[in-house]
Amino acid sequence: MAEVLVTGGTGYIGSWCILALLNAGHSVRTTVRSLSREPELRAMLQRGGAAADAPLRVVTADLTKDAGWPEAVRGCDAVLHVASPTLTSTPRSDEEMVTPARDGVLRVLRASRDAGVKRVVLTSAIGAIAYGHPDWDRPFTEDDWTDVDAGIEPYQKSKTLAERAAWDFIREQGNGLELATVNPTGVLGPVLGPDFSPSLGLIQRMLNGSMPVSLKFASGYVDVRDVADLHLRAMTDPAASGQRFIATSGQSLWVRDVAAILHRRLGERADRVPTREMPVWAARGLSLIRPELRPLRALLGKNLDATSEKAQRLLDWKPRPVEDTITETAESLLALDTATG
């Protein structure tokens, strides 16, 4: 079994990657910016089923600094680089998001190469594939790249430029280091702690009534446990070296479709979930005065359908049905509200 570093272990995807690695028998170390978060991380992992004495070591390293990374990767067979700047309700500037994402990737890759790591799996995003394009008439694939010159939001730009920088590094300076990327669509699934993905926030707002109408856009969705499983397959399968893999379950869903699933599966517990859809023109106008809607402005009216056929064919990856994931996400969020309320 391998010794694996997971960057950003307290994050939503990172914590589930740690659980998947531990369940597969690997030894794990993970980076946090402050060791003060170690008790919280270990509590999250135990909620996910990890043993209290699981082979996990927590170390400090910051993507914006060189210090700590050589020590973090020393002796590791593989690295899952999950940590990255995340989308917030108040959009950041390009510089605030792009620089740490790109520079952080290069720090991890450089340290991994120098330490003799065999393979790095980078958590990228559908944001590096499906944004900035005109009207699209087919599902997006791993051959597609986001157009960073098309006025896209800083988060998608950061994911695209960070992934591009990673592939350039491997080609020009990798010295045999292998790279694979996982590009998830909207990530849903059970909640272990307070770090949410943007898609989880969407479900939460639908459940608590703070999103009274559905916005008109369509996206793919995928279970966080399946995202973690795909990271492990990309880490271990020889066929994954040098490849990108979209992680999505089935076809894309309009927000109104997600709402309908919640009503069908949850019954009266979905009473606050919207039943109406806001026209695109109205949503665009509202986004001018509601900063949290600005990142969605470019998506309005669009269908960002994508296919995970490549991951299923090359790595035998089998994502669970998206309706089950949406239901379990809602159940988990409702339980969290009950526990904290």
Side-chain angles (χ1 to χ4, degrees):
M1 292 298 158
E3 178 86 11
V4 184
L5 175 70
V6 178
T7 68
T10 57
Y12 186 50
I13 296 176
S15 58
W16 281 103
C17 283
I18 293 173
L19 285 169
L21 286 163
L22 292 173
N23 288 337
H26 300 292
S27 296
V28 182
R29 70 183 74 163
T30 189
T31 61
V32 293
R33 281 181 293 180
S34 170
L35 286 179
S36 65
R37 296 201 70 181
E38 181 174 353
E40 172 194 347
L41 170 60
R42 291 188 180 275
M44 288 166 53
L45 296 174
Q46 288 180 45
R47 281 195 290 274
D53 60 349
L56 170 69
R57 186 157 66 95
V58 182
V59 299
T60 56
D62 188 325
L63 288 175
T64 64
K65 301 173 183 177
D66 292 333
W69 289 107
E71 294 79 14
V73 300
R74 186 175 296 136
C76 286
D77 304 289
V79 173
L80 305 187
H81 180 36
V82 186
S84 179
T86 54
L87 186 63
T88 61
S89 57
T90 303
R92 300 179 179 186
S93 69
D94 288 7
E95 184 69 18
E96 285 179 305
M97 296 206 77
V98 170
T99 299
R102 181 178 54 212
D103 292 356
V105 163
L106 294 177
R107 283 187 174 92
V108 172
L109 290 175
R110 195 174 296 115
S112 298
R113 177 201 62 193
D114 294 346
V117 170
K118 180 180 180 182
R119 184 177 297 177
V120 173
V121 179
L122 169 64
T123 310
S124 188
I126 196 66
I129 289 176
Y131 286 72
H133 300 286
D135 292 338
W136 209 252
D137 59 1
R138 62 167 175 80
F140 288 97
T141 73
E142 291 83 356
D143 292 330
D144 300 312
W145 282 90
T146 284
D147 182 358
V148 295
D149 297 319
I152 61 174
E153 289 296 313
Y155 177 73
Q156 283 79 32
K157 189 172 185 178
S158 76
K159 298 302 283 189
T160 306
L161 293 178
E163 188 186 340
R164 288 249 188 221
W167 288 116
D168 289 344
F169 178 91
I170 291 297
R171 183 177 61 254
E172 297 167 6
Q173 305 176 51
N175 292 346
L177 176 65
E178 297 176 357
L179 177 67
T181 69
V182 174
N183 298 66
T185 53
V187 181
L188 301 175
V191 177
L192 297 176
D195 287 339
F196 281 14
S197 72
S199 298
L200 274 174
L202 174 70
I203 302 296
Q204 186 180 51
R205 290 193 298 275
M206 295 173 82
L207 289 169
N208 66 23
S210 61
M211 183 178 170
V213 293
S214 295
L215 299 177
K216 188 172 184 178
F217 68 89
S219 168
Y221 294 94
V222 63
D223 196 291
V224 67
R225 294 163 293 186
D226 295 329
V227 174
D229 176 62
L230 185 52
H231 277 73
L232 264 66
R233 292 171 186 267
M235 180 185 87
T236 57
D237 196 314
S241 178
Q243 301 295 327
R244 310 171 85 200
F245 296 99
I246 291 174
T248 194
S249 176
Q251 294 180 321
S252 62
L253 296 173
W254 295 92
V255 177
R256 63 173 180 265
D257 298 327
V258 177
I261 291 168
L262 292 171
H263 279 289
R264 185 164 61 250
R265 292 290 191 96
L266 298 181
E268 63 182 14
R269 289 178 297 165
D271 283 348
R272 295 182 175 182
V273 174
T275 57
R276 296 178 296 112
E277 183 178 74
M278 180 181 289
V280 170
W281 63 266
R284 284 181 176 147
L286 189 61
S287 71
L288 297 175
I289 58 175
R290 295 279 295 275
E292 70 271 19
L293 296 181
R294 182 186 160 191
L296 299 175
R297 190 185 307 162
L299 298 182
L300 294 171
K302 292 186 178 294
N303 183 354
L304 299 187
D305 194 23
T307 176
S308 59
E309 182 275 335
K310 180 179 177 180
Q312 296 182 56
R313 170 173 46 84
L314 283 186
L315 304 184
D316 197 30
W317 181 67
K318 295 181 173 63
R320 64 201 72 199
V322 69
E323 286 206 15
D324 293 345
T325 293
I326 290 170
T327 304
E328 289 190 56
T329 301
E331 298 275 8
S332 180
L333 288 169
L334 289 170
L336 180 68
D337 286 344
T338 300
T340 59

